Amino acid sequence: MTFDEIKHLLAARFGDTVIVGEERTGLQPALLIQPDSIVDVCRELRDNPKTYFDFLSSLSGVDYGVDSGRFGVVYHLASIPYRLQLTLKITIEHDRNSDELPAFKSVSSVYRTADWHEREAYDLLGIYFEGHPDLRRILLPDDWEGYPLQKDYKTAEYYKGIKID
Amino acid sequence: MVLNMGPQHPSTHGVLRLELITDGEIVKEVIPHLGYLHRCFEKHAESLTYQQTIPFTDRMDYLASMNNSHVWVMGVERMLGIDKEIPKRVEYIRVLVCELNRIASHLIAIGTYGIDIGAFTPFLWCFRDREHIMGLLEWVSGSRMLYNYIWIGGLYYDLPVGFEERCREFIEYFKPKMVELNQLLTDNQVFIDRTANVGILPMDVAINYGCSGPMLRGSGLKWDLRRIDNYSAYPELDFDVPVGKGEMGTLGDCWDRYKVRVDEIAESVKIVEQCLDRLQKELKRTPDFDPRAKLPRKITPKAQDYYIRGEGSKGELGFYFIADGKSEIPFRAKSRGPSFNNLSVLPEIAKDVMIADLIAIIGSIDFVLGEVDR
């Protein structure tokens, strides 16, 4: 299936509002999905016999910078039977100063591998995933403050009173 | 009872803590705790230039560093649009050193797996043979494990004079050693009893958990990115993709994963021989050949994002780049380590097994913590 056919398939299944945009300039085209429907889109792409995107290669949280005020998640799917790759993107506006973390829906019910990937995105970028079974920090200690991959993160000088060199 | 395994237990292959909930000798649940080795690869990559990050990719999977830098370099080259201009000789040298490194990595996997099960001799033999590869690669790059040899647009240096001949000598020496190892370990009834029908990973579970490499192929799926994506010089080379067949037990058990690695070593030997043939006959060393000729002066890809994947020794190694088009530093560089995903399936396949079998399962995954934590 080509990129356009996948687009039409999703639009036919969920309506026109589900795809909010697309990026075609780069080497790999990407679909921008409406954030709330990401779980349904992933399940449809995985289960539909025309696509079978059964392998979640990578899930990356992205902080688009302080000025843009946006956070996003990028999904790289692969279809093993059809040897295809597809990039899905969801973004959300977020004001960094507010008390709540930017929140997305968790796809760990569709792809079990997303479990750890989402924990990593939460740990390093401070992205919250609704519906995740066990959202804890994965790489950093539980009591670490801040999210190191956010663009305005200030490197910690002390951890539990110990100077970090 | 709650038992802690690691972070020091030798079978955890480095620094991993497993929290086991046990009932007598039976493991009811496994909860992995990671992060002891976390050295912020992505944070580094987002503050250094593309070229400066290559030594850091080496440190991800320090047992197969060449493969890591190869994938990183390919991704950057494709973003710059120079991947078609790389000279053939450079491509073949890259494949040659990558496959040598893959053999070395699988030798460690097999040797340490033997010692997990309780066989000491395979460990010694594998390390003895791996030492020859380490020597060869040290001669090429000047460093034993962290090579920084494959550069964007070329190589750090051409192969040293006489390398091809020495490498052939090694291959001739190595082939009978693999037969010996198979006699000692693969056909060993104790080893088969410890690994067959243990830690069975069905194919659909493996795919859903994002397992790749020998983990996925051990479950019977022919999925090798060297063949699927056909990158570098691989489309011109002749090699098979070994898969698990369930010869000694159920498909996808520890023995299958072990056997896939053993067979992959034989395939890599075939690739190395073909590379040497080409390098000695058609793509000979010439005095005016400069492996750094295509090295771009300033590495600034245009604004785009790109996900590159390649077959590391443990599985699908991916890098996701976001370039902003202005700076030499990636805006976002996410790495997808195969071991990270392979390890995440452990709680699923280690339910209701004996504690001693858990050791066999952990060893059969062959993860490197440098890649799990990055």
Side-chain angles (χ1 to χ4, degrees):
Chain A
M1 261 191 142
T2 61
F3 184 69
D4 283 320
E5 284 169 345
I6 293 167
K7 215 176 95 187
H8 292 313
L9 186 139
L10 286 177
R13 177 78 175 73
F14 297 107
D16 289 333
T17 51
V18 74
I19 297 168
V20 291
E22 58 183 73
E23 285 173 13
R24 281 169 181 272
T25 45
L27 291 158
Q28 289 166 332
L31 279 178
L32 306 179
I33 304 288
Q34 207 266 323
D36 283 338
S37 31
I38 185 69
V39 182
D40 297 328
V41 166
C42 282
R43 184 168 286 122
E44 174 68 19
L45 285 173
R46 185 195 66 179
D47 293 339
N48 195 319
K50 286 181 185 150
T51 49
Y52 278 138
F53 281 102
D54 46 3
F55 193 86
L56 178 67
S57 289
S58 169
L59 184 156
S60 330
V62 184
D63 174 0
Y64 286 101
V66 181
D67 300 333
S68 72
R70 278 193 306 144
F71 279 86
V73 182
V74 184
Y75 303 83
H76 292 98
L77 308 179
S79 162
I80 289 177
Y82 295 113
R83 299 191 174 186
L84 288 174
Q85 279 181 287
L86 181 68
T87 311
L88 302 180
K89 288 185 182 180
I90 50 178
T91 59
I92 196 171
E93 300 268 329
H94 185 257
D95 157 28
R96 280 157 194 280
N97 301 317
S98 64
D99 294 331
E100 278 188 15
L101 297 173
F104 295 99
K105 294 252 188 324
S106 165
V107 296
S108 57
S109 59
V110 186
Y111 302 107
R112 298 293 297 273
T113 179
D115 184 337
W116 279 25
H117 279 280
E118 284 173 356
R119 274 175 73 187
E120 192 189 315
Y122 165 70
D123 186 359
L124 301 177
L125 283 139
I127 293 172
Y128 187 81
F129 290 94
E130 290 163 5
H132 188 284
D134 182 21
L135 199 64
R136 291 178 286 133
R137 284 188 176 262
I138 187 166
L139 296 176
L140 299 179
D142 290 339
D143 53 357
W144 192 268
E145 281 177 22
Y147 303 100
L149 285 183
Q150 286 189 353
K151 292 291 174 193
D152 57 347
Y153 176 76
K154 289 206 175 47
T155 315
E157 286 181 9
Y158 288 92
Y159 174 62
K160 287 186 174 170
I162 306 163
K163 194 162 193 325
I164 303 168
D165 285 324
Chain B
M1 188 165 73
V2 178
L3 263 182
N4 273 309
M5 190 184 269
Q8 297 90 5
H9 190 281
S11 84
T12 51
H13 292 259
V15 273
L16 167 72
R17 178 176 152 232
L18 294 176
E19 197 181 320
L20 313 183
I21 297 168
T22 57
D23 179 10
E25 280 257 11
I26 308 287
V27 178
K28 285 288 167 197
E29 206 169 335
V30 185
I31 304 160
H33 294 274
L34 341 165
Y36 293 89
L37 210 62
H38 185 48
R39 58 171 107 60
C40 323
F41 171 79
E42 290 170 23
K43 190 78 183 165
H44 272 125
E46 286 165 30
S47 52
L48 296 169
T49 66
Y50 290 96
Q51 187 79 293
Q52 284 170 335
T53 310
I54 296 174
F56 288 92
T57 63
D58 286 345
R59 282 155 180 76
M60 275 176 48
D61 180 355
Y62 36 80
L63 301 177
S65 325
M66 288 287 188
N67 290 292
N68 295 350
S69 10
H70 191 197
V71 177
W72 174 274
V73 162
M74 271 194 317
V76 179
E77 281 169 0
R78 231 167 265 181
M79 283 200 295
L80 292 168
I82 58 168
D83 56 321
K84 297 277 185 292
E85 299 166 25
I86 308 296
K88 268 273 172 271
R89 183 171 165 84
V90 169
E91 292 279 17
Y92 272 90
I93 294 175
R94 283 180 181 179
V95 171
L96 174 71
V97 290
C98 281
E99 292 305 320
L100 282 174
N101 217 183
R102 189 187 307 275
I103 297 173
S105 167
H106 281 340
L107 281 176
I108 289 211
I110 292 166
T112 53
Y113 195 39
I115 215 165
D116 286 347
I117 304 288
F120 184 71
T121 316
F123 174 77
L124 267 187
W125 287 8
C126 286
F127 268 67
R128 175 198 63 195
D129 296 340
R130 170 178 174 268
E131 197 53 42
H132 293 279
I133 300 180
M134 293 290 105
L136 285 172
L137 293 181
E138 185 180 352
W139 192 22
V140 162
S141 67
S143 163
R144 240 180 82 82
M145 281 176 94
L146 309 163
Y147 308 108
N148 190 16
Y149 177 64
I150 300 176
W151 280 9
I152 295 161
L155 300 163
Y156 164 67
Y157 208 70
D158 201 354
L159 289 178
V161 177
F163 182 86
E164 289 93 332
E165 289 77 12
R166 274 271 291 276
C167 193
R168 266 192 204 283
E169 279 171 28
F170 162 72
I171 293 291
E172 288 316 311
Y173 156 86
F174 182 62
K175 276 181 184 166
K177 298 292 175 204
M178 276 318 286
V179 180
E180 267 177 36
L181 184 77
N182 282 336
Q183 283 166 353
L184 185 71
L185 198 58
T186 314
D187 305 333
N188 185 323
Q189 195 55 45
V190 178
F191 181 76
I192 293 170
D193 284 349
R194 282 296 310 275
T195 53
N197 289 320
V198 171
I200 296 157
L201 174 66
M203 197 199 290
D204 55 334
V205 177
I207 292 172
N208 206 1
Y209 272 91
C211 298
S212 49
M215 270 302 261
L216 184 57
R217 291 194 286 276
S219 299
L221 185 67
K222 215 171 187 165
W223 183 256
D224 189 321
L225 294 173
R226 290 176 291 175
R227 275 286 180 250
I228 305 294
D229 284 2
N230 273 331
Y231 58 87
S232 199
Y234 286 112
E236 297 162 27
L237 296 165
D238 169 42
F239 64 99
D240 287 334
V241 178
V243 290
K245 296 190 185 77
E247 280 167 64
M248 294 295 164
T250 321
L251 182 67
D253 57 7
C254 291
W255 194 86
D256 271 347
R257 291 195 277 279
Y258 159 82
K259 190 67 175 22
V260 165
R261 291 195 184 98
V262 172
D263 292 346
E264 272 187 27
I265 290 184
E267 297 303 322
S268 290
V269 167
K270 259 161 71 181
I271 299 178
V272 167
E273 284 186 311
Q274 291 170 52
C275 287
L276 289 174
D277 282 345
R278 295 287 299 266
L279 286 173
Q280 282 182 313
K281 285 182 190 131
E282 300 149 51
L283 308 163
K284 274 195 195 125
R285 178 188 289 101
T286 45
D288 57 336
F289 176 71
D290 181 7
R292 297 193 209 174
K294 295 283 173 211
L295 219 62
R297 243 163 223 282
K298 224 164 178 263
I299 298 161
T300 43
K302 53 180 192 272
Q304 60 184 313
D305 52 337
Y306 186 59
Y307 178 73
I308 175 85
R309 56 180 191 175
E311 188 74 20
S313 67
K314 315 281 185 292
E316 173 175 338
L317 175 66
F319 289 111
Y320 174 57
F321 300 98
I322 299 180
D324 59 3
K326 296 186 289 269
S327 85
E328 290 181 77
I329 296 169
F331 181 76
R332 176 89 174 93
K334 150 101 184 172
S335 69
R336 181 249 198 235
S339 303
F340 183 77
N341 296 271
N342 290 352
L343 179 62
S344 73
V345 82
L346 180 68
E348 185 74 23
I349 57 174
K351 275 207 171 79
D352 298 322
V353 297
M354 309 284 276
I355 293 178
D357 285 344
L358 179 66
I359 309 292
I361 296 172
I362 295 171
S364 78
I365 297 177
D366 179 34
F367 48 82
V368 161
L369 265 298
E371 207 173 60
V372 176
D373 295 352
R374 301 182 302 274

